[in-house]
Amino acid sequence: MGRRYRNRRRSQPQQQRPEPREDAADGDAKRDKSGWEGGYPEIIKENKLFEHYYQELKIVPEGEWEQFMQALREPLPATLRITGYKCHAKEILHCLKNKYFKELEDLVVDGQKVEVPQPLSWYPEELAWHTNLSRKILRKSPQLEKFHQFLVSETESGNISRQEAVSMIPPLLLNVQPHHKILDMCAAPGSKTAQLIEMLHADMNVSFPEGFVIANDVDNKRCYLLVHQAKRLSSPCIMVVNHDASSIPRLQIDMDGKKEILFYDRILCDVPCSGDGTMRKNIDVWKKWTTLNSLQLHGLQLRIATRGVEQLAEGGRMVYSTCSLNPIEDEAVIASLLEKSEGALELADVSSELPGLKWMPGITEWKVMTKDGQWFADWKDVPQSRHTQIRPTMFPPKCQENLKKMKLERCLRILPHHQNTGGFFVAVLVKKSSMPWNKRQPKLQRKSPMHTGEGAESNSSVSVKMSASTPTETSLTASAETGGRPVTETEGNETMQKSQNLESDINKKDGVCGPPPSKKMKLFGFKEDPFVFIPEDDPLFPPIQNFYALAPSFPKMNLLTRTQEGKKRQLYMVSKELRNVLLNNSERMKVINTGIKVWSRNNDGEQFGCAFRLAQEGIYTLYPFINSRIIVVCIEDIKILLTQENPFFSKFSSETHRQAKDMAKGSIVLKYEPDAQKPDTLQCPIVLCGWRGKTSIRAFVPKNERLHYLRMMGVEVFREKRKEESTNKLEESQTIAKQSDKEMDMECKTKELVNSDSQMEDELDELMQEPLENSLDETESKMENDKPQNSKNQTQC
């Protein structure tokens, strides 16, 4: 069909093809011509209305307008962030500075000297860097391509995140501590959420921080992107939910047998905005920009911020941020929120919290402009016909004394030309007392440590006890222009009764947290599998406990699965605080994902004493509780495990051979401890999942994690494209394949492919099977590596 059509097209006279109209405008003619040539018209980075609007508002210091506009027209530099909570962060930084960046110092591409990446001066511990290297340039020399491969691989394994510089600011200003309960109201795509998770895990010796992050987004599809981002960090303290942020439900928790309302210590309120601060990367904004966008978003932004401060604990901190420079979306929202709070909120002075960051103070005077360029300085000047488009909360407060008390100059506006970034706005709010429309509000108070099994330090818990004489704080979902009213005692009693009924319903479920019923809550997107906690008397757990000699402090009540019937294929784990939230709110919220995978079923594993093997995703969470089946290996053993699929015992050190010799077959833990007396070697511990076969040991580690660990040990893993090397590697691989096939047949195919409960887990398991395709340097080339593609009988994990 396609061939006949093409032949007919060729046989048609040339003049029958469409030609640009003679009376068309020049732009139309160019567009038609470019369409036939397969190109697109270049977007002109000009918008007269935009320039007129911001020149009139004077948000740019006098004399800097040309620099401001010039910066907006230049491409945004790429920025990367090293994940700070992992113990490998310092090793990655050392690898970047002393290997990859040094190779770029004297590099010249196409006659131009390559600019070496530089650290962001205001980000702590040099964990964030920016570079002007484009993707096109990255592929023009072997050194740059090697650097690009490093970035891609480390990003996929969660050790590096690509994130815009100004986007890193809000989480830093939240001042998160490991015991904080955090709500991220508009979280997708998840870069800021990842920062929050890192801060919870500041102490890697604590497997289960007492705090947690609840990450919410209204878009169901974007929630799955959020899940993907969060999974890279392997934390049991993250939950992804799907709700409208302006009416996100109030959650309950169980404290000593009593229902209490959950209030958050920290809230990140990064609201949807017009995005004119992103012009450097989203060039469509140039032609689409109009003041109408801000006017339409203002009400939603104010409702989301209002809902946020309602759920904030007394003494807690909320960061409001936008990637817009428009005061209608920025100062107007904050001023309205402060005005209606009647002193319950105040702007925090954070001017000294990020030394090195350049910013402009918030403004106290602004006007409102319609999309056709008409200005209004006061609400009383707005005609009746415009009242649905322009609202009184968009204007500065009339009372100058109240305006002065608000201290709007404490807001931060980041301009692109000051530090070669995007545009951004941040305001940090602290809650001093309950909101005036609420009857009662909990206080941020210190409690005795919770029993988490890790000897956690003092914890901050925020809650309010419910009783007939103590009405609960009700939520306001009304628009920001209308006020609220106190809760009556009758309403408080009704709320308490509903809570008691909910508690009764949950007890009947025996730890099953299913998705909310459609009759009570309208669901969007996919229907989620239930969250089923493992009962104490479940016969599934004792063999696991005995096989791995789990410590008595192991929190087995925090284990869950995603299936109610049939065999449990995967076991996940959450912190006990998130378990509390899940059990008490299954009817209130739509949970997309939570927990970290710690065990996977291996059907043939029962003959070795345990039907579940360890999962690399959760090994750092599990390891502190495992007292058996641990083999301590040296750095040379780690290299062998990561570059060969099924190395025999004889290839390992004598000490490793001795430990493995007397151990029964099955899943094992491989632990590397750094040697302080050898500073040139890897100085961070490594924990890997493995399998002890009859005559060999195998590491069950995803491909990108393998590459990560090898880089940290100084092994070159750049993929060379040389034909001779490829041939030699293939011959080596075929030899290994024959040995491996014999080995695996003797083991009765104990390592079957485990079906995952979700598509994302399928992808992770796929990664675990992929061969190590990257060639090593000459010193490592003698090792057998790369699982061959033609090994049909080789079983997979």
Side-chain angles (χ1 to χ4, degrees), residues 116-151:
V116 179
Q118 297 297 320
L120 297 180
S121 60
W122 45 268
Y123 201 94
E125 301 179 21
E126 288 192 338
L127 292 178
W129 294 71
H130 69 97
T131 173
N132 289 321
L133 297 173
S134 66
R135 290 186 178 183
K136 187 176 180 181
I137 294 178
L138 282 171
R139 291 177 171 84
K140 285 198 172 182
S141 76
Q143 292 89 343
L144 287 177
E145 188 179 352
K146 190 182 300 184
F147 177 50
H148 182 249
Q149 284 188 15
F150 169 82
L151 293 180

Side-chain angles (χ1 to χ4, degrees), residues 514-544:
S518 57
K519 290 183 180 179
K520 295 185 179 180
M521 183 185 299
K522 190 173 182 181
L523 297 182
F524 299 92
F526 302 101
K527 182 180 179 182
E528 293 300 320
D529 293 327
F531 295 85
V532 186
F533 284 93
I534 305 297
E536 279 192 76
D537 57 350
D538 194 311
L540 172 146
F541 183 71
I544 296 176

Side-chain angles (χ1 to χ4, degrees), residues 602-617:
N602 184 342
N603 289 332
D604 289 336
E606 294 181 10
Q607 62 182 301
F608 305 125
C610 182
F612 287 87
R613 65 169 176 82
L614 296 165
Q616 182 67 29
E617 181 182 329

Side-chain angles (χ1 to χ4, degrees), residues 263-291:
F263 287 88
Y264 301 95
D265 303 289
R266 297 290 185 266
I267 294 180
L268 179 55
C269 188
D270 186 55
V271 297
C273 64
S274 61
D276 56 22
T278 67
M279 282 180 161
R280 298 183 67 177
K281 65 175 183 178
N282 300 325
I283 57 176
D284 279 352
V285 178
W286 282 98
K287 63 178 182 180
K288 294 179 180 179
W289 187 92
T290 171
T291 56

Side-chain angles (χ1 to χ4, degrees), residues 607-774:
Q607 62 182 301
F608 305 125
C610 182
F612 287 87
R613 65 169 176 82
L614 296 165
Q616 182 67 29
E617 181 182 329
I619 190 60
Y620 285 96
T621 300
L622 272 187
Y623 177 74
F625 301 100
I626 298 176
N627 294 312
S628 178
R629 306 199 57 77
I630 299 174
I631 297 179
V632 179
V633 294
C634 65
I635 194 165
E636 294 303 323
D637 291 336
I638 291 286
K639 291 179 182 179
I640 293 172
L641 285 164
L642 296 178
T643 57
Q644 300 183 35
E645 285 301 311
N646 292 285
F648 295 105
F649 291 161
S650 58
K651 295 188 177 182
F652 296 99
S653 64
S654 58
E655 177 60 23
T656 298
H657 190 180
R658 183 190 65 78
Q659 296 176 71
K661 186 178 180 181
D662 300 326
M663 189 174 290
K665 290 190 289 185
S667 187
I668 57 173
V669 177
L670 301 158
K671 176 68 182 292
Y672 162 74
E673 290 286 358
D675 188 349
Q677 297 180 353
K678 298 179 180 179
D680 294 336
T681 60
L682 184 64
Q683 290 300 301
C684 62
I686 293 178
V687 184
L688 306 178
C689 291
W691 185 273
R692 195 275 194 201
K694 186 173 182 179
T695 58
S696 67
I697 299 176
R698 182 182 183 184
F700 284 173
V701 182
K703 178 182 175 182
N704 283 316
E705 281 197 48
R706 290 189 180 208
L707 300 179
H708 161 71
Y709 291 128
L710 288 170
R711 286 191 190 97
M712 297 306 100
M713 291 182 289
V715 178
E716 182 59 73
V717 291
F718 178 61
R719 187 175 184 177
E720 299 285 357
K721 299 175 181 177
R722 287 183 292 190
K723 195 171 183 181
E724 291 181 6
E725 276 192 3
S726 300
T727 304
N728 294 336
K729 294 292 178 184
L730 181 60
E731 290 175 357
E732 272 188 41
S733 298
Q734 289 172 341
T735 303
I736 297 173
K738 294 176 183 178
Q739 297 172 343
S740 300
D741 289 345
K742 289 181 182 179
E743 164 96 20
M744 299 305 289
D745 286 339
M746 294 171 66
E747 293 180 15
C748 304
K749 300 178 182 179
T750 56
K751 295 177 278 296
E752 286 188 355
L753 178 64
V754 179
N755 292 327
S756 297
D757 287 336
S758 67
Q759 181 180 359
M760 214 162 295
E761 284 148 4
D762 286 337
E763 292 173 2
L764 177 57
D765 280 347
E766 257 183 46
L767 283 174
M768 294 176 67
Q769 317 318 317
E770 291 185 17
L772 183 64
E773 296 174 347
N774 298 56

Side-chain angles (χ1 to χ4, degrees), residues 539-552:
L540 172 146
F541 183 71
I544 296 176
Q545 188 170 28
N546 295 333
F547 191 74
Y548 297 102
L550 298 179

Side-chain angles (χ1 to χ4, degrees), residues 383-449:
Q384 185 71 31
S385 60
R386 299 277 191 178
H387 280 190
T388 56
Q389 184 184 86
I390 300 175
R391 304 300 301 153
T393 53
M394 297 177 181
F395 295 89
K398 291 181 180 179
C399 178
Q400 291 299 310
E401 184 179 350
N402 289 343
L403 184 61
K404 188 176 181 180
K405 287 181 181 179
M406 290 178 183
K407 300 178 180 178
L408 291 179
E409 66 276 4
R410 289 183 173 179
C411 299
L412 313 182
R413 179 175 276 103
I414 291 90
L415 299 179
H417 64 291
H418 283 166
Q419 285 181 301
N420 197 15
T421 65
F424 212 70
F425 175 87
V426 188
V428 182
L429 294 160
V430 175
K431 193 169 186 178
K432 300 172 64 179
S433 61
S434 64
M435 304 305 288
W437 55 84
N438 297 132
K439 189 85 171 185
R440 183 175 174 84
Q441 169 71 22
K443 291 187 177 181
L444 192 65
Q445 54 189 0
R446 288 282 170 185
K447 280 191 70 171
S448 58

